[in-house]
Amino acid sequence: MRFLFTFFLFTFSLSSISLFSQRAPMKFGKIQSEDLQMTVYKSDTSASAVILGEYGELEFFYLDDDVGYRFKKHVRIKILDRTGFEEGDIAITYYSKNRFEKIYNIKARVFAPDGSSTDLNKNDIFDEQVNDYWSRKRFSCPNLQIGSVIDYKYETESKGIFQLPTWYFQSDIPVRWSEFRTEIPEWYNYTNITQGRPLDINEVDVQARNFLISSTFGGTGNLTSVKVNQTRMVMKDVPAMKEESYVTTMHDYYARIRFQLSSVFYPNGTYTDVTNTWNDLAIGLMESGNFGLQFSKKRNYGDLWQAVESMVPIDGTPTEKAAAIHNFLFSNIEVNNIRSIYTKDKLNDCFKQKSARASEMNLMMIALLREAGVEVNPVLISTRSNGKPTPLYPLVNQFNHVLALVNLGDKLALIDASNPFLPIGYPAINSLNSIGWAIIGGRPQWIDLPAPSSKDIYFFKFALDQEGVLNGNMSMSYSGYSAVNERRYLKKNPSGDHLKKQIMEAFPDAVLDSMSFENVPNINQALKVRASCKIPGTAMMSGDFMYLTPAILSSFNESPFKLESRQYPVDIPHPFNEKIILNLELPEGYIVEELPESVRMVMPGKSGSFDFRFSQNGSSLQMICKLKINRLRFEVEEYAALRNFFSLVEEKLGEQVVLKKG
């Protein structure tokens, strides 16, 4: 996008005082004595660090017939204990492809509590390439100690104005003051997308600047007065929002503001609606050489089809055809972790190079399945780590991955060829983000992303001897996402050392023998593991009594919900089902003194359940423990009940069998 304007440095005001002329809330290198002496942040005495101030300015610039923005940011952080030292590791990510953005004027200074300071050496600033598009500036603040104040600032220059930088008022540590000022010419109309609590200060002003408009653009070359919209947005005393288990990304919940360009009205009277409709976006994508044309034009995938065609059963079912193509792709191509909806290379080139992005793998699936006569369409998604998508606005930049939606005859299923161990119908866990945007027959629509389940079954047949040692056999069955993870571990280490390590973390003296695996290569079947084992130290001896905690290897021996309250919903990626069966022979000469009490708990709406049962038959005990979670999202007001449920699960799994010498 090119705008042929020249910026003339003359300004006059429509109001008495410009928001940009107001004094900034802090000056680099000037630290108040009370901040240097602070040892505890009174608003949050548990905080390991606090953002004392965060200040940003954004204004437009015109250079070389292009329009862009310049963004300045200044951050000041107080370190209150050693855990807060991690705040001194700074990473600034920017879009580096074709020098679209650049970061410069990086300065950092660390103040000790006595006021002495150390400046960051420019040689200690490192530029890292993240992928083909993104890079990051990284540095570590020097001479950190408890009580230090970090002061750093930098500037960003970008050639793009379609999306302005997102400003976050909130973090995982408290924020005392966060302020963002913008100055945008009236030619550009932005939609502001806000999230979180209301602003404490929200000031709007209109100033006037003179611009010299190039005759190339239709101007006269004379100075033209143009209104400039200024905003000043402030939040103060913003509490920390700590990350806990089962969340998409904290960026979905931090207080923030985003800016999306919606229209442009040029000085010559030309109006452009920048915001497309979803239909317009779908048409543009299907006509894109890096997206739709890759799987609709055979010139882009013909070599690939020629290589796989003989392996695809002509009269096979859609499932059989999909499995054949899936196996071929992962037998010939290595997939990398770069996330994008677009291709970097032609699909034929990916095949020749034997390397592809996840998106390229899924577009190959679409191209080859269509060639094989299977109905399949692309589904664009935003992964969990990328954040929730926004159906209200047709923003292509919110998507970072693409899946294949396949008609298997009796049902629709999603294929995600980002991992060789994912069965058909199982997107990667990071892809399970509620909804996706499907382009079916050229017509776009939002669809729900079904979340398949995970199921673990543990069966233990043990004898407990008089020394408190368990001897016997164990068998485990992993289905769904659990099997995906286990197969991934087994590819790295086929001997199953990760399972041995898991057991030995709980019982360091455990010995596992004769470990065997079943259905490892068959990703559509449950993965089964069998082993004989000897586990010393499982029972604690005290006089005539022996104490045994029978629920071993459960994933929920410890509750995942530790915070007393939570400021955002619980977002579980998929349903899960865990079942533990223990058959235990008592040691000779011992009788049961006490057994854990059986219990059954059902959450409201049958969103989850927990069954814990103990029974005795002579010298044999049996424990059956079943935990199911069927519902995936729990709102903030439901957190207390969910936390209580898992606390009771943890409590029951920790209960002991008490034996006594008879």
Side-chain angles (χ1 to χ4, degrees):
M1 187 181 297
R2 299 172 69 84
F3 301 84
L4 303 179
F5 306 133
T6 301
F7 191 19
F8 189 80
L9 295 177
F10 175 77
T11 305
F12 65 91
S13 177
L14 296 182
S15 62
S16 58
I17 300 176
S18 164
L19 293 180
F20 263 57
S21 67
Q22 294 183 30
R23 189 174 64 178
M26 55 189 183
K27 185 176 181 181
F28 183 78
K30 300 295 183 181
I31 313 296
Q32 296 179 350
S33 59
E34 53 265 38
D35 290 338
L36 291 172
Q37 300 306 313
M38 181 192 301
T39 57
V40 174
Y41 184 53
K42 292 182 180 179
S43 298
D44 183 353
T45 57
S46 65
S48 61
V50 57
I51 298 175
L52 300 173
E54 197 167 26
Y55 175 64
E57 288 183 359
L58 183 141
E59 57 185 352
F60 279 46
F61 71 88
Y62 303 89
L63 184 67
D64 298 330
D65 293 337
D66 280 323
V67 63
Y69 66 79
R70 185 174 292 110
F71 171 60
K72 301 179 182 179
K73 188 172 185 180
H74 180 191
V75 182
R76 183 170 294 166
I77 304 173
K78 175 72 178 185
I79 306 299
L80 297 170
D81 63 31
R82 296 191 66 84
T83 307
F85 284 7
E86 63 186 27
E87 302 298 331
D89 295 326
I90 311 299
I92 306 165
T93 303
Y94 65 102
Y95 193 89
S96 55
K97 185 177 175 66
N98 298 325
R99 298 183 178 179
F100 194 77
E101 291 182 353
K102 66 177 182 178
I103 306 293
Y104 61 102
N105 285 348
I106 297 176
K107 292 184 179 180
R109 186 173 297 168
V110 176
F111 291 84
D114 63 5
S116 61
S117 63
T118 305
D119 285 349
L120 174 70
N121 191 313
K122 291 184 178 180
N123 294 330
D124 294 328
I125 301 173
F126 303 97
D127 203 354
E128 303 174 348
Q129 185 171 350
V130 178
N131 54 43
D132 294 333
Y133 299 91
W134 296 91
S135 296
R136 68 167 67 98
K137 298 283 187 180
R138 183 184 291 278
F139 61 89
S140 295
C141 295
N143 293 343
L144 285 183
Q145 58 180 287
I146 295 175
S148 292
V149 173
I150 299 169
D151 212 21
Y152 74 90
K153 65 177 183 177
Y154 65 91
E155 296 183 32
T156 302
E157 205 168 86
S158 175
K159 297 178 183 178
I161 61 168
F162 188 72
Q163 281 186 312
L164 303 181
T166 298
W167 183 264
Y168 288 90
F169 296 94
Q170 194 168 30
S171 179
D172 60 347
I173 59 175
V175 180
R176 190 172 68 182
W177 186 276
S178 181
E179 178 173 341
F180 187 38
R181 301 181 190 180
T182 65
E183 181 181 83
I184 301 173
E186 64 171 343
W187 308 322
Y188 311 106
N189 181 38
Y190 283 86
T191 298
N192 297 347
I193 306 172
T194 59
Q195 177 177 287
R197 63 178 243 192
L199 295 166
D200 294 305
I201 299 174
N202 186 15
E203 297 178 342
V204 179
D205 192 14
V206 179
Q207 299 290 310
R209 289 184 182 273
N210 278 351
F211 291 89
L212 185 63
I213 303 177
S214 169
S215 58
T216 308
F217 189 75
T220 63
N222 297 322
L223 290 176
T224 302
S225 177
V226 178
K227 293 179 182 178
V228 177
N229 298 314
Q230 295 183 339
T231 60
R232 176 174 177 253
M233 297 162 283
V234 177
M235 282 192 190
K236 49 189 176 181
D237 300 322
V238 187
M241 187 175 283
K242 301 285 187 181
E243 182 172 356
E244 206 184 8
S245 300
Y246 299 119
V247 64
T248 50
T249 171
M250 292 305 297
H251 297 299
D252 281 338
Y253 304 108
Y254 289 146
R256 68 180 180 182
I257 184 166
R258 292 183 288 170
F259 305 86
Q260 176 65 47
L261 185 64
S262 57
S263 64
V264 178
F265 186 77
Y266 301 120
N268 66 358
T270 303
Y271 175 84
T272 303
D273 188 352
V274 177
T275 306
N276 294 324
T277 66
W278 286 112
N279 283 331
D280 292 335
L281 183 57
I283 292 171
L285 283 169
M286 295 304 289
E287 294 176 351
S288 169
N290 295 105
F291 187 77
L293 296 184
Q294 286 296 316
F295 57 81
S296 63
K297 298 297 182 182
K298 198 169 183 178
R299 65 176 182 267
N300 292 318
Y301 65 85
D303 296 344
L304 185 61
W305 172 248
Q306 187 176 4
V308 73
E309 183 177 8
S310 63
M311 304 177 193
V312 180
I314 297 176
D315 298 323
T317 66
T319 300
E320 291 169 339
K321 292 179 179 181
I325 293 171
H326 184 277
N327 291 337
F328 170 82
L329 289 178
F330 280 105
S331 297
N332 290 274
I333 300 173
E334 189 77 22
V335 62
N336 61 45
N337 292 322
I338 296 176
R339 287 286 181 266
S340 172
I341 64 170
Y342 300 107
T343 63
K344 178 187 176 186
D345 302 303
K346 291 182 179 180
L347 300 184
N348 280 332
D349 294 335
C350 295
F351 174 54
K352 292 174 185 176
Q353 296 162 7
K354 297 189 179 298
S355 176
R357 300 174 175 178
S359 59
E360 292 168 336
M361 292 289 281
N362 283 322
L363 293 182
M364 287 183 212
M365 287 292 307
I366 293 171
L368 298 177
L369 282 169
R370 285 187 172 187
E371 196 68 34
V374 178
E375 181 186 345
V376 58
N377 293 285
V379 178
L380 277 65
I381 68 164
S382 174
T383 58
R384 292 173 67 86
S385 57
N386 192 56
K388 295 286 187 185
T390 306
L392 292 176
Y393 304 101
L395 309 177
V396 70
N397 290 344
Q398 66 185 310
F399 303 115
N400 70 327
H401 192 38
V402 59
L403 307 176
L405 181 64
V406 187
N407 187 343
L408 297 180
D410 58 340
K411 64 179 180 179
L412 295 176
L414 290 167
I415 295 180
D416 188 357
S418 62
N419 182 326
F421 308 114
L422 289 168
I424 293 174
Y426 279 78
I429 291 177
N430 196 29
S431 298
L432 299 176
N433 205 9
S434 301
I435 56 174
W437 187 62
I439 306 177
I440 301 176
R443 297 184 303 275
Q445 56 185 281
W446 286 94
I447 64 171
D448 292 330
L449 299 179
S453 64
S454 177
K455 185 176 183 180
D456 300 348
I457 301 176
Y458 302 93
F459 180 77
F460 305 107
K461 187 175 182 181
F462 286 142
L464 181 65
D465 68 18
Q466 296 176 341
E467 304 300 322
V469 178
L470 283 176
N471 288 277
N473 300 302
M474 59 184 357
S475 62
M476 289 87 80
S477 174
Y478 300 101
S479 302
Y481 287 109
S482 293
V484 173
N485 293 331
E486 293 300 325
R487 287 188 171 98
R488 180 168 56 87
Y489 287 130
L490 287 171
K491 182 180 180 181
K492 296 178 181 178
N493 194 323
S495 65
D497 284 348
H498 68 286
L499 288 171
K500 297 177 183 177
K501 182 179 179 181
Q502 181 182 349
I503 294 172
M504 292 180 69
E505 284 178 353
F507 306 102
D509 298 324
V511 177
L512 273 70
D513 295 315
S514 307
M515 184 173 285
S516 63
F517 303 92
E518 186 179 334
N519 296 331
V520 175
N522 191 344
I523 62 174
N524 295 302
Q525 297 293 324
L527 174 66
K528 297 183 178 181
V529 184
R530 293 182 176 86
S532 59
C533 58
K534 177 180 180 180
I535 310 179
T538 50
M540 183 178 66
M541 315 293 293
S542 179
D544 291 340
F545 293 91
M546 187 182 297
Y547 302 87
L548 172 70
T549 303
I552 61 175
L553 288 188
S554 172
S555 300
F556 299 95
N557 283 323
E558 186 174 337
S559 170
F561 304 110
K562 299 299 184 184
L563 298 179
E564 290 190 11
S565 61
R566 184 159 165 150
Q567 300 168 271
Y568 47 88
V570 172
D571 198 319
I572 300 171
H574 58 81
F576 56 81
N577 182 342
E578 180 183 271
K579 183 176 182 179
I580 302 173
I581 302 172
L582 169 67
N583 290 333
L584 179 66
E585 284 294 322
L586 301 181
E588 186 177 351
Y590 279 81
I591 61 173
V592 173
E593 177 74 7
E594 184 179 345
L595 289 179
E597 183 179 352
S598 296
V599 67
R600 174 173 170 78
M601 300 187 295
V602 180
M603 298 176 66
K606 296 183 179 179
S607 53
S609 63
F610 177 65
D611 283 287
F612 186 82
R613 287 182 289 152
F614 248 100
S615 60
Q616 180 180 4
N617 183 8
S619 62
S620 299
L621 298 180
Q622 184 179 67
M623 179 196 75
I624 299 178
C625 176
K626 294 186 289 186
L627 175 64
K628 290 183 180 180
I629 293 295
N630 305 312
R631 182 178 161 196
L632 303 184
R633 186 177 173 90
F634 296 83
E635 301 302 328
V636 172
E637 57 271 20
E638 299 173 297
Y639 175 72
L642 182 67
R643 180 175 182 267
N644 183 58
F645 174 85
F646 276 95
S647 295
L648 290 172
V649 170
E650 177 183 343
E651 180 181 324
K652 293 302 294 184
L653 293 178
E655 289 185 352
Q656 295 181 320
V657 173
V658 182
L659 305 178
K660 182 181 179 182
K661 282 185 179 180

